[in-house]
Amino acid sequence: MFKPGSLSSLECFSVSKSALSGRSVLAVRSRKLLHSDLARLMVIAALAVIVFAISPFYCVAKSVDLAVQRDSLENGLQILLLREPTVPAVSYYTCYRVGSRNERPGITGISHFVEHMMFNGAKRYGPKEFDEILESNGGTSNAYTTNDVTFYFEDVPSDKIELAVDLDSDRMENLAFAPSSVDAELGVVREERRVSTDNDVAGEMEEELYAAAFKASPYQWPVVGWMGDLMRITRQDAVEYFKSYYAPNNATIVVVGDFDPKETLSLIRRYYANIPPGPPVQEPVDSEEEQIGERRIRVEKEAQLPAVMVGYHVSSVESQDAFTLDVLQAILTKGESSRLYRRLVDEEQMALSVSASYNWSIDPGLFYFHVEMKPERRPEEAEAVLYEELLRLCKEPVSERELKKAKNLLKAGLFRWLKTNNGKADAIGVFEVVFGDWRELGAATDIYEAINAKDVQRVAEKYFGEKNRTVVTLVPAA
């Protein structure tokens, strides 16, 4: 079950920011597309984005207005309910405020491992029964882990909502950690690490980038964990970790769909009220100091193409710079009309692709660029262009057209995120757990709209300096 990043920007809006970047973990069972289907869809999507982004006639909805009902239990469990009677279905999310930032050296990757164990039996439902019973009743389930959070969710017909409540409360109260399941799932997550990092060029570069950029922040280790730790984690480690973080006082339930709020609250109270709270959760210590000089890593690995990643420390979601960084990301790398795509891919013809990754995070995080070079070109050439474009952002205000396009893309992404019950529940959970209040979601479009060219210039100057930079260069091994 893998996926990274956190909750950031554009791409993540479509499913969940947390789910899509490289440092979080997600269980995805997606349908397959034939290559020809995919190519056709990509062309249609690209045309749609271009038309939508530049059209003066396109009107993005102005705000997010959700009638969320909040409640809580005496054991600390938070509950957010949003009735959407459009279709007779419900998305049921359990959002735990625990991710890889809560780990320590020696047990890195344990949040993701516990995510796997949650599908391996509790008291009322044994190993492998969770999905079997859910699916036989027309439901589906999934989960993901990031640096900051772990979310579990079920999509069920409205008349099966009690089943989701029963299943999720059972594993919160009685997760089994059967020794045979522990051994089997540790093997699965080790293999997941081999696929996503050890045998993946971009995955390994990203891991090197974070490990070099952070010296004292828990963001320095990958969500999937170091292999040495995955070889040493014990059942007892997992049981103690679960008791510390997977209790009602560290969880928020989000329900979105066609349901009766009064009856659903009664159900949740019946199944969860007797689950005792865990110990008070200790916030991780982030002792990361300001970076005082550029850091460089050279990776020599079997690969087809040279590449470079360039990362900059950025603020947490406590700063509204987070939304301006979204705008910067869109201006620089979103689509074929973005500044860096035009320079590196179209005009200079030195790169095959360029992207930027930025995730909303509870602690100060990283904004990084990834450039895949053409075989005959050197990463240093891309670096020179990248730094030239970043300096240009610091010196010259962006045009109104670029700014408008970026805002349209971001707001459209936000509304796409909210298109389904599942997306709404995910978004409400993200804003509640990462930002501290789901109501921040309602303010997001206004915040994007208020960003001006001076804000973009100020934020570029603040973060994109040489001393704040970490560079990882990939040199294909001979």
Side-chain angles (χ1 to χ4, degrees), residues 184-214:
E185 286 304 327
L186 279 172
V188 171
V189 296
R190 290 173 196 140
E191 187 58 26
E192 197 169 309
R193 186 199 147 79
R194 292 185 186 102
V195 172
S196 65
T197 304
D198 300 341
N199 292 319
D200 184 88
V201 171
E204 184 143 345
M205 289 180 71
E206 185 189 52
E207 187 169 283
E208 293 288 341
L209 178 71
Y210 275 79
F214 292 105

Side-chain angles (χ1 to χ4, degrees), residues 214-244:
F214 292 105
K215 297 168 68 175
S217 163
Y219 290 163
Q220 67 183 269
W221 52 77
V223 173
V224 74
W226 301 120
M227 182 58 89
D229 292 349
L230 296 178
M231 297 299 292
R232 284 190 290 268
I233 286 173
T234 65
R235 178 183 181 276
Q236 190 58 35
D237 291 332
V239 170
E240 290 174 4
Y241 193 79
F242 179 79
K243 287 180 178 176
S244 299

Side-chain angles (χ1 to χ4, degrees), residues 326-337:
D326 284 339
V327 172
L328 272 167
Q329 183 187 23
I331 290 172
L332 288 167
T333 62
K334 189 61 182 175
E336 296 185 1
S337 60

